[in-house]
Amino acid sequence: MAVFMKALLPGTTAEQYDALNAELQALPGDTFAGCLSHVCVPTDAGLEIYDLWESREAMDRFGALVMPIAEKQGMPQASGPPAVSPVHNYWVPGA
């Protein structure tokens, strides 16, 4: 079942996000396997991340991969666990 995830990253800058994303993209294999959509929104407080994942398991696999890299880069920690909700329906225009 698909899940929608919202994470709040107070104190995180777009530059920190870009550095993390670059390191993730340089990893071998399909680092983002199972991610159907991703949005990063800068705010006055930091960043908001919105993801649509094909399953909770895919989201958890990515989380286990990204967290050590984010910690190594010294990124601020999230304000708590992400909000995760089951998805009733989604579609992608033109797909």
Side-chain angles (χ1 to χ4, degrees):
M1 169 183 287
V3 295
F4 181 75
M5 186 277 308
K6 176 183 178 183
L8 302 177
L9 307 175
T12 303
T13 66
E15 292 77 17
Q16 289 170 311
Y17 168 88
D18 291 343
L20 175 65
N21 195 41
E23 189 165 342
L24 290 169
Q25 289 184 14
L27 294 174
D30 188 359
T31 304
F32 305 97
C35 185
L36 303 171
S37 181
H38 171 79
V39 177
C40 174
V41 179
T43 70
D44 290 339
L47 298 178
E48 296 180 3
I49 304 294
Y50 301 90
D51 285 348
L52 177 62
W53 290 93
E54 67 184 14
S55 68
R56 177 72 185 234
E57 294 78 21
M59 183 191 76
D60 289 344
R61 278 192 305 272
F62 178 76
L65 179 68
V66 73
M67 292 310 297
I69 296 171
E71 289 173 12
K72 180 185 78 170
Q73 290 188 356
M75 291 182 69
Q77 293 197 2
S79 63
V84 180
S85 303
V87 173
H88 171 71
N89 188 30
Y90 70 91
W91 58 275
V92 178

